[in-house]
Amino acid sequence: DAKTTQPPSMDCAEGRAANLPCNHSTISGNEYVYWYRQIHSQGPQYIIHGLKNNETNEMASLIITEDRKSSTLILPHATLRDTAVYYCIVRARLGGDKLIFGTGTRLQVFP
Amino acid sequence: DARVTQTPRHKVTEMGQEVTMRCQPILGHNTVFWYRQTMMQGLELLAYFRNRAPLDDSGMPKDRFSAEMPDATLATLKIQPSEPRDSAVYFCASGLSPDRRDTEAFFGQGTRLTVV
């Protein structure tokens, strides 16, 4: 069972920031928030993960609320190549570390 | 450039035939996942292994599916006999155990299976 809720689709103009929300109200203390994306016909690609602090890497930023019940993935300058399905996943760090994918958010970046 | 390699990339077979899909995980990774993706069901976890031992295969139909890791460099997923409803893209992924800092899973390009 997916433990996250995401909007089914979003649009974003090229060059603008894409903010993808995720609700995970039942997250437990030992669970991380992971983000993956899947570009058409390819295998899912890891983006970023975090526990409670905000995280940033070369691909994106992850903002986790203080109560950890929701998070936002930020693509600071979306490009057409960022068009994909984005999956938010909660995953236990120790034991039971299965990656269970939900339905994700289909992000369409337009020119 | 380390990557997960899956073979074959495409497979068309007749109903009732045995199908074997192979996966070469990234060298040094000790966790291997098998997923199936269809339009209707999305990405479903079939099974996963740690240090070649199956940890969870509850997502796999036991009567016709089997997954093994003959050695650390090869994971296989077999379907016997295959049925049209098995038509899907099958993904393999590998990663490190969760007590390591870098725990992300890396996915292969998938095997697109069509059973006619």
Side-chain angles (χ1 to χ4, degrees), chain B residues 83-96:
Chain B
E83 298 180 2
R85 59 178 169 157
D86 301 328
S87 297
V89 181
Y90 291 82
F91 288 105
C92 173
S94 73
L96 293 168

Side-chain angles (χ1 to χ4, degrees), chain A residues 18-38:
Chain A
N19 298 293
L20 292 89
C22 179
N23 286 323
H24 32 79
S25 58
T26 61
I27 193 170
S28 60
N30 71 339
E31 289 181 318
Y32 283 63
V33 179
Y34 278 72
W35 283 83
Y36 281 76
R37 72 180 182 183
Q38 187 174 26

